[in-house]
């Protein structure tokens, strides 16, 4: 009976009694959800173009953030450091295509996946070599990002909006929108979709596979930089940040590996559900700490009923 | 950066032939003392591992440079990278134990738990300074385990005493946020035991290792529970994130206390002014205003024989913690040499040294560390040495000591430690114990 109450009664009583906390939870879920969407987008871009699950996306987040902060520590002004970091991410995309992917054409997907694991270790080593392993503070104010917070007095309580969270949500939204337009409405975007559909057919109509790979890896690099800035502002720039990218996995399972809208919707579902579950069910019943696994349970349930995700393409094989 | 890159490339080229370990000081095999250092300069916890490893190595290097080692034998500190992972820690142990290792300082509760059963078998002590298995404080049950200057349980009791002396603890609600791993869970039995005795209520907030930088749900729970005080058992990126999240929900910083692994410069520098007022326990001095630290700078750091990034990092909380670890090791070596009459000692001799060194006020002064820490008196029975913690506060840019030493609640903690030690050793087959007079 107690368990019944904990599942079906108490959470809703708490929601009713503390509506401001519910609103705060929804806001935190929304902010986390947009950031998860952004991380997942980095994976989707590369998967669409090359059917490769880019294991290195997490370390690209760290590498981009470290480069930005590292350049600033060397005395480079923040905005110039931002531009130079974009340059470094382009160079990385170019190098990955020229030194790695080009030599992997026609290899099985699993080989390409293993390649990105190798790339992860190279980036970890390079990052630690150049910038060291010590955590650094994100240059939030220097980049003109807002700090501080605003309160909303509501239902006899308050909802606190951190300005950096608002900025994170807005930037993530704009970036997702920009990338969606770029890949859906431009010539390069159409080429990308053609590559995603069929490599051979795309090549036969003159689309440069190599150029497309550089573009998508660079786009994933931009996404990594944005994610790194926003997430590091909530904590610090350290190699621990790379594990945050693991949160993209359930998002991708939910939204589908090839769908930009899927990444957005999947991210928001995970963001909202994990915060609500942990607060209202996780702590009273399981003692808390459910954030580290709840998203994967949601993904597992989706896998059982919709293996291709919410927006993924259904694979029909003729026998 | 280019210099670092070139140095890095050279290091990489060397790495292939030198394995993962680095010799800090060279000496002939005959009159050397081998001290393995299970460090982590890479991975998610590197920010804490680096300054600790630097302080540990630099003190021994200073003894080599200034005094020619200890008792005429030079010290070889060999680092082995664990990445804070238990399996790698055990790998490092197995790879180095045959080289004449005097003692192991795992700098990880997870690794310590793996090594504690191995220590009596290989006859090499495990010295987990202020971490690891609290029960090793009972010397009769753990002849080869040491936790100077205090165990986690003793530390927790000192923190509770501090809370009690600042507004009283009876009737209060204490929130306990902890890394959801062996380390973070270690003091929970003590909280469960002391809560009814001291009349407080406690509520736990676990943070998964993968969620260290994603704690917003945890802090929503804190907001819901409205604790009067928060105590944190955090490590690595968990610490700055928690302090930022606490500030976000407007939790009063002067009611938020981290343990001694959640109060380093690396933890709060990225937080800055936001964390002003945050408290943390500590047992080792802050800064370089100690003759021993000045000797380290003069003999090791300035001549470029240290791995420390810059001289400004010397004196930081974790640098000094690593240095203090080396000080206690050096004292144990000295005592063991005097006792055995040997220059080159073994792990068994070192065990005797670790049970018999006396870091009194007078001795600390001789070592150039007056006021650096509370006295640590080793004994056969007491493997935590009666050390005391003090509380420090973050000013927005640096740590400032704000309390006198707070001794642990020995009368309450000791019986619990004995109970835990009995429980651990009774479950282990053929566990080696000792009788203390």
């Amino acid at each position: 009976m107690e368990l019944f109450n904990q599942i079906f009664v108490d959470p809703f009583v708490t929601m009713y009694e503390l509506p401001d906390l519910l609103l705060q939870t929804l806001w935190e879920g929304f902010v986390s959800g947009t950031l998860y969407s952004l991380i997942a987008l980095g994976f989707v871009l590369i998967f669409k173009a090359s059917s490769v699950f880019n294991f290195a996306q997490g370390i690209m987040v760290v590498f981009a953030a470290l480069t930005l902060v590292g350049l600033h520590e060397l005395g480079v002004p923040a905005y110039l450091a931002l531009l130079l970091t974009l340059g470094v991410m382009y160079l990385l995309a170019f190098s990955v295509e020229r030194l790695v992917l080009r030599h992997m054409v026609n290899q099985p997907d699993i080989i390409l996946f293993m390649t990105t694991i190798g790339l992860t270790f190279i980036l970890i080593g390079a990052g630690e070599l150049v910038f060291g392993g010590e955590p650094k503070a994100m240059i939030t104010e220097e980049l003109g990002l807002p700090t501080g917070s605003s309160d909303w007095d509501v239902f006899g309580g308050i909802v606190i909006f951190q300005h950096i969270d608002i900025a994170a949500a807005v930037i993530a939204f704009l970036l997702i929108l920009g990338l969606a337009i770029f890949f859906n409405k431009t010539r390069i975007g159409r080429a990308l979709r053609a590559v995603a559909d069929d490599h051979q057919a795309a090549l036969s109509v003159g689309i440069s596979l190599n150029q497309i790979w550089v573009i998508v890896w660079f786009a994933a690099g931009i996404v990594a930089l944005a994610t790194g800035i926003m997430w590091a502002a909530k904590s610090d720039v350290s190699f621990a940040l790379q594990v945050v990218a693991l949160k993209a996995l359930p998002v991708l399972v939910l939204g589908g590996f090839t769908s930009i809208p899927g990444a957005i919707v999947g991210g928001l579902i995970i963001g909202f559900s994990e915060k609500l579950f942990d607060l209202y069910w996780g702590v009273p019943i399981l003692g808390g700490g459910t954030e580290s696994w709840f998203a994967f349970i949601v993904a597992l349930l989706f896998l059982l009923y919709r293996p291709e995700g919410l927006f993924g393409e259904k694979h029909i094989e003729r026998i | 950066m280019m210099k670092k890159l070139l140095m890095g490339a050279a290091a990489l080229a060397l790495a292939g032939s030198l394995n993962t370990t680095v010799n800090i000081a060279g000496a002939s095999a005959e009159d050397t003392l081998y001290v393995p250092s299970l460090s982590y300069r890479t991975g998610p916890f590197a920010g804490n591992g680096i300054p600790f490893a630097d302080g540990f190595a630099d003190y021994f290097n200073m003894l080599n440079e200034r005094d020619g080692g200890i008792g005429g034998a030079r010290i070889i500190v060999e680092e082995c990278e664990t990445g804070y992972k238990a399996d790698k820690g055990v790998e490092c142990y197995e790879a180095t134990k045959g080289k004449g290792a005097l003692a192991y300082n795992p700098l990880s509760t997870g690794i310590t738990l793996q090594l504690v059963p191995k220590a009596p078998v290989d006859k090499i002590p495990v010295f987990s300074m202020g971490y690891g298995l609290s029960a090793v404080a009972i010397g009769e049950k753990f002849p080869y385990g040491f936790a100077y200057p205090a165990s986690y349980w003793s530390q927790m009791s000192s923190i509770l005493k501090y809370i009690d002396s600042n507004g009283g603890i009876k009737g209060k609600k204490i929130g306990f946020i902890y890394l959801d791993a062996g380390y973070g869970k270690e003091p929970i039995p003590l909280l469960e035991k002391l809560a009814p005795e001291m009349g407080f209520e406690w509520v736990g907030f676990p943070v998964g290792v993968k969620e260290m930088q994603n704690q917003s749900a945890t802090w929503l729970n804190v907001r819901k529970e409205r604790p009067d005080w928060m105590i944190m058992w955090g490590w690595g990126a968990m610490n700055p994130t928690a302090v930022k999240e606490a500030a976000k929900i407007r939790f009063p910083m002067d009611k938020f206390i981290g343990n001694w692994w959640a109060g380093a410069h690396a933890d709060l520098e990225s937080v800055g002014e936001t964390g002003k007022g945050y408290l943390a326990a500590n047992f080792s001095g802050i800064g370089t205003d100690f003759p021993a630290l000045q000797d380290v700078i003069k003999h090791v750091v300035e001549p470029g024989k240290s791995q420390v990034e810059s001289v400004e990092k010397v004196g930081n909380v974790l640098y000094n913690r690593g240095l203090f670890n080396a000080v206690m090791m050096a004292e144990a070596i000295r005592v063991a040499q005097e006792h055995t009459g040997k220059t080159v000692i073994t792990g068994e001799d070192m065990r005797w040294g670790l049970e018999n060194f006396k870091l009194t006020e007078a001795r600390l002064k001789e070592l150039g560390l007056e006021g650096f820490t509370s006295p640590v008196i080793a004994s056969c029975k007491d493997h935590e040495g009666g050390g005391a913690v003090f509380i420090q506060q973050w000013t927005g840019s640096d740590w400032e000591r704000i309390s006198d030493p707070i001794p642990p609640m020995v009368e309450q903690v000791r019986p619990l430690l004995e109970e835990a030690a009995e429980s651990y050793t009774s479950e282990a087959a053929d566990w080696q114990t000792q009788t203390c007079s």
Side-chain angles (χ1 to χ4, degrees), chain A residues 95-141:
Chain A
S95 307
V96 167
E97 187 280 316
R98 194 52 70 96
L99 301 173
V100 183
L101 295 177
R102 183 171 285 206
H103 307 284
M104 295 287 166
V105 174
N106 285 333
Q107 294 291 331
D109 291 347
I110 189 68
I111 299 292
L112 285 162
F113 173 64
M114 297 297 282
T115 305
T116 66
I117 293 178
L119 184 63
T120 303
F121 288 111
I122 290 172
L123 289 179
I124 289 173
E128 281 170 348
L129 213 62
V130 180
F131 303 109
E134 295 185 337
K136 301 175 196 305
M138 179 43 71
I139 47 172
T140 317
E141 285 177 31

Side-chain angles (χ1 to χ4, degrees), chain A residues 85-248:
Chain A
T85 306
L86 285 173
V88 170
M89 296 317 284
Y90 180 78
L91 204 63
L92 177 69
F94 184 78
S95 307
V96 167
E97 187 280 316
R98 194 52 70 96
L99 301 173
V100 183
L101 295 177
R102 183 171 285 206
H103 307 284
M104 295 287 166
V105 174
N106 285 333
Q107 294 291 331
D109 291 347
I110 189 68
I111 299 292
L112 285 162
F113 173 64
M114 297 297 282
T115 305
T116 66
I117 293 178
L119 184 63
T120 303
F121 288 111
I122 290 172
L123 289 179
I124 289 173
E128 281 170 348
L129 213 62
V130 180
F131 303 109
E134 295 185 337
K136 301 175 196 305
M138 179 43 71
I139 47 172
T140 317
E141 285 177 31
E142 293 86 340
L143 287 169
L145 290 167
T147 52
S149 60
S150 299
D151 295 351
W152 179 29
D153 296 312
V154 63
F155 300 127
I158 57 162
V159 179
I160 304 166
F161 296 100
Q162 292 290 318
H163 295 165
I164 188 70
D165 286 347
I166 299 171
V170 170
I171 290 170
F173 176 75
L174 291 176
L175 201 57
I176 291 166
L177 193 70
L179 286 167
I181 292 170
F182 180 71
F183 286 107
N184 282 303
K185 303 288 180 191
T186 65
R187 197 170 149 267
I188 294 171
R190 280 195 294 277
L192 167 72
R193 280 185 289 148
V195 170
D197 280 346
D198 192 321
H199 284 190
Q200 298 289 344
L203 281 169
S204 70
V205 295
I207 293 171
S208 165
L209 200 57
N210 298 335
Q211 193 187 10
I212 291 295
W213 276 348
V214 173
I215 290 168
V216 290
W217 275 80
F218 180 46
I222 295 171
V223 168
L225 177 59
T227 312
I229 293 171
M230 292 308 162
W231 215 285
K234 290 155 78 77
S235 177
D236 60 13
V237 185
S238 74
F239 283 84
L241 258 184
Q242 61 180 306
V243 295
V244 170
L246 290 176
K247 267 291 161 66

Side-chain angles (χ1 to χ4, degrees), chain A residues 14 18 20-21 24-25 28 32 36 70-71 74 128-137 149-151 158-160 162 165 231-244 246-247 274-275 278-280 283-284 287-289 291-292, chain B residues 1 4-5 8-9 11-12 41-44 46-48 50-51 54 178 180 203-218 220-221 223-226 236-237 240-241 244-245 247-250 266-267 269-271 309 313:
Chain A
T14 311
L18 299 168
D20 60 320
L21 187 65
Q24 186 78 59
T25 309
E28 297 294 340
S32 295
Y36 294 159
L71 286 169
L74 287 175
E128 281 170 348
L129 213 62
V130 180
F131 303 109
E134 295 185 337
K136 301 175 196 305
S149 60
S150 299
D151 295 351
I158 57 162
V159 179
I160 304 166
Q162 292 290 318
D165 286 347
W231 215 285
K234 290 155 78 77
S235 177
D236 60 13
V237 185
S238 74
F239 283 84
L241 258 184
Q242 61 180 306
V243 295
V244 170
L246 290 176
K247 267 291 161 66
E274 70 172 15
K275 302 286 184 255
D278 193 65
L279 186 65
Y280 294 106
V283 172
E291 265 188 308
S292 50
Chain B
M1 193 188 296
K4 272 188 174 179
L5 207 58
L12 263 183
R41 293 179 179 274
T42 64
N48 301 87
I50 291 170
D54 287 341
Y178 60 98
D180 199 5
V203 54
F205 302 102
V207 175
V209 174
K210 289 187 173 64
E211 302 297 326
M212 288 193 304
Q213 290 177 298
N214 188 22
Q215 295 179 31
S216 57
T218 305
L220 284 168
N221 277 310
R223 183 174 155 179
K224 186 178 138 206
E225 293 291 339
R226 297 176 187 276
T241 312
K244 283 187 178 179
E245 289 288 344
K248 200 167 138 181
I249 66 160
R250 317 244 167 95
D267 298 322
E269 275 169 349
S270 65
V271 180
E309 194 181 305
K313 300 274 183 189

Side-chain angles (χ1 to χ4, degrees), chain B residues 170-330:
Chain B
K170 200 170 182 183
K172 297 281 167 63
K173 187 189 257 191
I174 310 288
F176 177 57
I177 181 167
Y178 60 98
L179 190 66
D180 199 5
Y183 150 65
K185 292 176 190 168
E186 180 65 19
I188 288 177
L190 187 82
L191 276 175
E192 282 171 344
K193 187 82 178 174
L194 289 184
E197 283 179 24
M198 297 179 78
F200 66 86
E201 183 192 345
W202 77 279
V203 54
F205 302 102
V207 175
V209 174
K210 289 187 173 64
E211 302 297 326
M212 288 193 304
Q213 290 177 298
N214 188 22
Q215 295 179 31
S216 57
T218 305
W219 286 89
L220 284 168
N221 277 310
V222 174
R223 183 174 155 179
K224 186 178 138 206
E225 293 291 339
R226 297 176 187 276
D228 299 290
W229 287 80
M230 284 293 288
I231 298 174
M232 175 158 68
W233 243 244
W235 189 227
M238 174 180 163
N239 297 337
T241 312
V243 177
K244 283 187 178 179
E245 289 288 344
K248 200 167 138 181
I249 66 160
R250 317 244 167 95
F251 191 86
M253 282 297 154
D254 58 355
K255 295 276 191 288
F256 187 11
I257 309 183
N259 73 345
W260 53 52
W261 301 118
H265 286 82
D267 298 322
L268 268 292
E269 275 169 349
S270 65
V271 180
E273 277 291 317
T274 308
K276 191 174 178 180
Y278 170 73
L279 305 165
N282 194 356
F283 58 73
S284 45
I286 313 163
T288 56
D289 292 337
F290 303 95
L293 266 294
Q294 291 302 318
D295 282 350
V296 168
I297 293 171
K298 182 180 161 193
H299 294 284
V300 183
V301 180
E302 282 177 350
K305 292 173 182 170
S306 168
Q307 290 194 71
V308 74
E309 194 181 305
S310 68
V311 73
E312 287 75 34
K313 300 274 183 189
V314 177
N316 279 359
V317 170
L318 284 177
Y319 182 94
N320 282 8
R321 188 81 47 81
L323 180 138
F324 182 42
N325 195 161
V327 168
M328 285 193 280
M329 285 282 290

